[in-house]
Every structure is written in C-alpha cells, then in structure tokens.
Amino acid sequence: MTTAQPRPAIAATGLRKSYGDKPVLKGLDLNVREGTVFSLLGANGAGKTTTVKILSTLIRADSGDVRVAGHDLAHEPDAVRAAIGVTGQFSAVDNLLTGEENLLLMADLHHLPRDDARRRTGQLLEQFDLVEAGRKPAATYSGGMRRRLDLAMSLVGSPRLIFLDEPTTGLDPRSRRNMWQIVRDLVAGGVTVFLTTQYLEEADELSDRIAVLEGGRVVAEGTADELKRRIPGGHVRLRFGDHRHLDAAMRVLDQPSRDNDPLALRVPGSGSLRSLKHLIGRLDDHRIEVEELSVHTPDLDDVFLALTGKPATENEKATTR
Amino acid sequence: MSTHALAPAARPRLHPFRDSVTMLRRNLRRMLRYPSMTLTLVGMPVVFLLLFVYVFGGTLGAGLGGPTAGDSADGRSAYVDYVAPAIILMTVTSVIQGTAISVAMDLTEGIIARFRTMHIARAAVLTGHVLGSMIQTAIALAVVIGVALLVGFRPEAGPVEWLAVVGFLAVMTFALVWLAVALGQVSKSVESASNVLLPLVLLPFLGSGFVPTDSMPTGLRWFAEYQPFTPMIETLRDLLMDQPVGDNAWIALAWCAAIALGSYLWARRLFNREPAN
C-alpha cells in the first residue's frame, strides 16, 4: 500500500498567507496521503486554523501551490468543495433547527433523494448517539453533542477528505474519547482526516503523521515515534530481583543511572532492536537476571519543547494531563 | 481503500434554483421557530396605524382640507384612507428589519462558513433570505391591510387595481429586501443590524406618508418630494383610491429597479468577500 504511492489527498508547497502586514503562514509544505490521519500540531496562533481555512476554500492563500483531493485549490475551488467535509472550530450548526433538520438540510444541499436523505440522517443520528436529541433544537445541546452534530453534518455527503479544526477543544474527557473513536472509525472506512490540535496526546493517539507548526512554518514532520526519536531522552529501564544483580549490571553496562525505584536502572538508548539485542547479550554474558525490561521513548511534550523551544501552553498543560 | 477514491470527477454542476429553495425552507422554518420576531415586526406597523388613526387621525384628517374637513369623525375616516399607504410601506420596512437581523445572525454563527465550504450555489444563501422575507412580508401585509380595513380603511380599487397593488408591492419588497440583505452583512453585530434600518422606518414620515408635503417648510418639502418613498406611497395611494397614477408610478419603479440592482450587486460582493480572519 505504501509502495503504490497513491495520489496525495493534500499536496501543498510554499503556502503563504498574511493578514495585513502580519505574516501567518510563511511557506508551508504539506503532503497528506490518502486514507491516513494527518495532524497539524501547534499552539494557539501558530497558524493552524488559517491553514484549514485555506485548504477548505474558505479563504485564499497569498501564494503557494495547493492540490486538494486532486484538484487545484486556486482554480477549481468548487471541485474541491464537492470532495471535502469541514468541521471548523466554531460550531457550524443551525441553532434554531433540530439535529435531524440540520442533517436533512445538509442532505438537501447535497441533492440526495428524499429516501436516501432520511436513511443517511437516521444512520448518522445513530452513529453519533443523537437519536434521542434528534428532535430537539440544536440550541439545547451540550458542547459534546453539538460537536458531534457538527461532524455528522460534515459527513452527510460522504466526503473522502475531512478537515477537523481542533475537534476536541473544550470537550470533557469522555466526549473527547468518543470523538477519537469516531475519527478512528472514519479512517477505518477509508476516509482521509486532516486535523489540527494543540493537544500532544491527541496527535499521538490518532495520527499517522504529525507536522509541528510553529510561527507559520512546519518545524518537524513525521510519525509520532519518529518525532520522539529525534530528541534525546529515550532510555531502557531494567528492574532486578535483588541488589546483587543490580550491582553487577552497574559494573558492566554503559552509563547506567539510578531510577526512583531502588531496584531499577536506566540505560540511555533509542530502544531499537539492535541496541536491545546488544544490551540483552551483555546481561546474558554476565549471567545477570532481569525481572522486567521496558523501553521508554520521550513523550510528545518533550518533543514539542525541544522543537519549538517553548513549553506547551498553560492551556495544553491543563488539558493533556 | 481505493486509490481512485479522490480521482477528480467530472466537474460537479451547481443547482442554484434547488439550493435557493432549500435555503428558503430553512429560513421559513427558522421564522416558525422564532415567532416572536415576526410578531414584533408585524406589530409595529399595526401600532402606528392605530396610533395615527385614533390619536392623531381626527385632527390630521381635518387638516387635509378635503370636502368633509371640520368634523373630527369625518376627518378620522378621511385620514385612514390617507395614511394607509404609508402604513403599508412601513410594514415592508419593518419586516426587512427582520431580514437584516437574520442575515447578521447567520453571519455571526458558523453555519455560513459551512455553506461557504460546500459545493452549493453561493447566492442561494442570500436568495433564500430574500424569498423567505418576501413571503413573510406578504403575510404581514395581509394582516396590516386587514386591520386597516377593520378600522375604516375604504379603498376604491377594483380587481385590476388590486392586482397592480400586489405587483407593485412585490417589486418594492424585492428591492428593499435586497437592500436589507446587504445592510445586514455590513453590520458588525445582530444589535447593530436592528438599528441600521431604522432610517428606513422613519423615512415615510419625511415624505408624503403622514401629511401632504405642501404643509412642510421649504427645505424639508424639497427633500420629502424627491426622496424615493414619496413616489412609492403616492403610487400606492393612487392605485388604492382608484386615481390616475401618472408619473409617480414610473419614478417609483425606477427607484425600485435602482435599489434592487445596486443592493443585489452590493450584497453579492459583500458575501463573496473573504470572511475576516
């Protein structure tokens, strides 16, 4: 699958956008493969929403070459619109209409025949756990329900590419987990998801690839693991049955350090198979018994700090926990 | 998953008519969900009608200088006939305040951003408002004319004249609704949208709506005679009273055409401009 190199769902080069004389995007390059989840990770003001707005035809880029769903963004915005679904940061539901009516409105705008519209609406209400709420006006919905309705509305036309701008910002932990499951289900169905988030944990949980956006530029891109490997801090933790084995290990291993646990040691290393083999070989050679071995990679918090030179914002700290 | 999933399909067609009908349905449904707005909008011209007929009518009617001048009851009945066209126009300007408010409301909510990223005829969002407001105005006009008839309005129009009245009101409403759609987009908030049309509500007072213009001081009279609402009110009055309409009808229609075209182009440009940040 990866060797076939299918047409990218999104291919952008040199994307630039300024508001007045304030540059927001300073030459963004993006490449999103079909059927994957791509996360744009960044703090508030990094340019995430602007990127989504441009890619979803809401605003125009100042310059840059962008193809979305195989269409040139600047010249065929209508064709792009026909292929995408967008759930923005601010809920795009009609508050005076019921959940069901909101979905039927979308079905009408997609020109679905009456029966198909009913079926699709019923199916989405079920899928998003809104059957009971379906007949109530959206104005009465909780934040999580509103977000689900919002996303359900984006899915009425069965788009192959979905933009989610901070889909879980402001949601309680349970609603957030629900939203993650929904995203996973979408991808299992072959949909491409482009999401923005300021939550490291979210990017880690969901994405095939992550681009870290900082000051209008992508400062790093890769899988969560690749990003983690790019920075120091990885180690292998060994736990021993008694002090005799621990002391022996201290003597033969490379740069061991003590752990909080008096019977455990930390050995720096990436956790690659080769280095593990080497480590285990040494322990075997000296007949040192290890009760427990675990590989620790730095979490994305470390990555974010190392890449952007600043800690995650207060907001992120409070909610990524 | 197939690698052809995102293959560019033949360029999908737009359906402006169908989308407009969908948007119209949305707006009518919203009006039903929010009936207090419609009631307020219809209530205003009714209150003005009752106020002008029962409080000021006797005196103002006596001052019209008609054959029955002098007696306050006769004056009142003469004044109902005089003021009704102005109240009818005021009904239109009142209802389109609601248009401006709901357009502004739409823009503050995220749903318009959603529409902009969908493959739909963009103008449909606006035409949906225009058609919805025209239906709302028709209902409001039926109510207000009904109340006017109850309080003694006695038009002399025959079926042909009534038909002309309906046609003329439709043209006038169409023009003013487009103006409201543009003004609703200009306003920064829902609150300011409800104020931006206030001048339109007051304009009939500075014309021939409530008193003949020859009773006004020179400067004001000049303004009153040349402002667009005066020929509109005069046309309605002549049609309803079965009088020859003369040039006023053409001047009024020219104003309507100019307002409609200018407002349509303005509204469309406002809607197509890039949303702020």
Side-chain angles (χ1 to χ4, degrees):
Chain A
M1 199 123 253
T2 47
T3 51
Q5 284 298 327
R7 185 209 330 276
I10 301 171
T13 45
L15 199 56
R16 285 172 190 279
K17 175 77 181 175
S18 302
Y19 286 117
D21 54 2
K22 189 175 152 267
V24 180
L25 300 179
K26 303 172 189 165
L28 210 60
D29 297 340
L30 293 169
N31 200 303
V32 179
R33 278 215 335 266
E34 261 184 39
T36 63
V37 181
F38 186 94
S39 289
L40 199 56
L41 175 67
N44 287 332
K48 302 189 299 288
T49 296
T50 303
T51 307
V52 169
K53 282 183 173 172
I54 290 172
L55 296 178
S56 64
T57 76
L58 204 51
I59 58 176
R60 282 173 170 274
D62 295 340
S63 65
D65 199 21
V66 188
R67 291 188 81 79
V68 175
H71 301 279
D72 187 282
L73 191 63
H75 298 111
E76 308 170 274
D78 270 331
V80 171
R81 287 181 192 126
I84 63 171
V86 186
T87 298
Q89 202 172 339
F90 302 104
S91 86
V93 307
D94 190 322
N95 280 320
L96 293 182
L97 302 186
T98 67
E100 191 178 21
E101 285 166 346
N102 267 297
L103 290 170
L104 286 171
L105 171 67
M106 292 300 118
D108 284 343
L109 291 174
H110 281 104
H111 312 120
L112 297 185
R114 258 265 146 264
D115 287 351
D116 292 359
R118 291 257 158 229
R119 198 176 318 121
R120 185 91 181 111
T121 299
Q123 184 192 337
L124 285 166
L125 286 174
E126 190 125 340
Q127 185 185 345
F128 285 82
D129 195 20
L130 290 169
V131 177
E132 250 175 77
R135 297 191 181 276
K136 293 190 192 120
T140 64
Y141 284 19
S142 70
M145 287 160 76
R146 185 183 293 269
R147 210 64 75 90
R148 293 206 300 275
L149 175 60
D150 205 339
L151 180 52
M153 285 167 75
S154 308
L155 298 180
V156 171
S158 307
R160 305 295 303 163
L161 169 60
I162 293 168
F163 291 96
L164 300 174
D165 192 10
E166 304 204 6
T168 64
T169 299
L171 292 190
D172 61 61
R174 207 180 123 233
S175 306
R176 171 185 289 184
R177 301 229 162 241
N178 284 342
M179 190 58 86
W180 287 354
Q181 192 51 49
I182 289 167
V183 172
R184 289 192 192 102
D185 292 346
L186 284 174
V187 179
V191 172
T192 310
V193 177
F194 182 99
L195 70 87
T196 73
T197 182
Q198 42 176 319
Y199 304 131
L200 309 155
E201 185 193 1
E202 183 161 287
D204 203 357
E205 281 278 337
L206 295 176
S207 330
D208 295 298
R209 288 187 84 75
I210 300 170
V212 181
L213 190 64
E214 167 68 17
R217 284 196 185 89
V218 172
V219 293
E221 207 211 302
T223 64
D225 289 340
E226 279 167 9
L227 290 180
K228 288 171 192 170
R229 273 203 296 275
R230 285 180 54 165
I231 63 153
H235 62 267
V236 177
R237 185 172 176 276
L238 302 167
R239 195 171 180 284
F240 304 92
D242 56 42
H243 281 284
R244 199 167 51 83
H245 285 110
L246 181 126
D247 291 340
M250 282 286 271
R251 281 194 295 275
V252 302
L253 294 179
D254 209 19
Q255 293 179 292
S257 61
R258 305 301 291 249
D259 191 78
N260 295 335
D261 185 335
L263 281 176
L265 283 181
R266 290 177 174 202
V267 186
S270 65
S272 69
L273 199 57
R274 213 157 57 102
S275 72
L276 280 178
K277 262 186 182 159
H278 177 73
L279 178 70
I280 294 167
R282 286 203 76 138
L283 292 165
D284 261 359
D285 290 348
H286 293 86
R287 296 177 191 284
I288 300 170
E289 278 182 31
V290 176
E291 282 208 332
E292 203 181 289
L293 179 150
S294 51
V295 177
H296 292 262
T297 46
D299 65 15
L300 276 174
D301 257 315
D302 303 324
V303 178
F304 201 76
L305 183 64
L307 289 173
T308 66
K310 53 174 126 168
T313 63
E314 291 302 309
N315 186 11
E316 290 159 18
K317 279 285 184 216
T319 34
T320 40
R321 241 168 300 192
Chain B
M1 82 204 75
S2 134
T3 53
H4 303 289
L6 288 175
R11 195 170 195 163
R13 270 183 50 220
L14 287 169
H15 300 269
F17 182 73
R18 207 164 153 187
D19 292 347
S20 297
V21 173
T22 301
M23 292 298 180
L24 167 64
R25 266 211 303 275
R26 164 176 181 255
N27 285 310
L28 291 178
R29 200 163 262 153
R30 284 170 64 90
M31 285 171 200
L32 289 176
R33 284 297 140 74
Y34 194 14
S36 58
M37 171 114 119
T38 308
L39 286 177
T40 313
L41 297 173
V42 180
M44 209 214 41
V46 169
V47 167
F48 269 90
L49 174 66
L50 299 178
L51 191 68
F52 271 86
V53 169
Y54 289 110
V55 179
F56 308 127
T59 308
L60 287 173
L64 284 176
T68 58
D71 185 319
S72 82
D74 288 346
R76 179 168 294 118
S77 75
Y79 191 68
V80 179
D81 290 343
Y82 185 83
V83 83
I87 298 292
I88 288 172
L89 180 82
M90 190 178 249
T91 309
V92 179
T93 56
S94 178
V95 173
I96 65 170
Q97 267 189 297
T99 312
I101 291 171
S102 52
V103 168
M105 225 157 97
D106 257 0
L107 291 179
T108 57
E109 285 174 11
I111 189 106
I112 292 287
R114 177 187 291 287
F115 292 148
R116 285 181 203 272
T117 60
M118 290 176 70
H119 178 65
I120 54 177
R122 283 207 160 186
V125 177
L126 302 182
T127 46
H129 276 291
V130 170
L131 295 175
S133 295
M134 288 192 72
I135 291 174
Q136 203 180 16
T137 310
I139 295 166
L141 283 170
V143 171
V144 169
I145 292 174
V147 174
L149 291 172
L150 282 178
V151 301
F153 176 43
R154 293 291 170 264
E156 279 157 22
V160 179
E161 286 81 13
W162 269 111
L163 218 59
V165 167
V166 170
F168 180 69
L169 283 173
V171 170
M172 202 171 74
T173 307
F174 181 76
L176 292 173
V177 164
W178 271 111
L179 181 61
V181 166
L183 289 171
Q185 292 185 76
V186 177
S187 25
K188 298 270 179 293
S189 68
V190 176
E191 288 75 26
S192 61
S194 63
N195 294 331
V196 73
L197 281 175
L198 217 54
L200 284 192
V201 177
L202 295 177
L203 219 45
F205 288 97
L206 307 180
S208 66
F210 292 85
V211 290
T213 52
D214 17 320
S215 64
M216 298 174 184
T218 325
L220 183 58
R221 183 168 65 204
W222 186 88
F223 175 80
E225 277 167 6
Y226 289 99
Q227 66 122 319
F229 281 4
T230 295
M232 292 184 198
I233 290 169
E234 289 304 318
T235 304
L236 274 178
R237 189 172 279 147
D238 290 341
L239 286 173
L240 286 166
M241 287 301 150
D242 198 13
Q243 301 288 316
V245 285
D247 287 346
N248 274 327
W250 300 115
I251 299 172
L253 286 174
W255 270 112
C256 288
I259 293 172
L261 184 67
S263 304
Y264 166 74
L265 294 174
W266 188 24
R268 207 182 57 172
R269 215 186 66 197
L270 287 170
F271 193 70
N272 283 333
R273 84 189 149 172
E274 219 159 73
N277 70 70

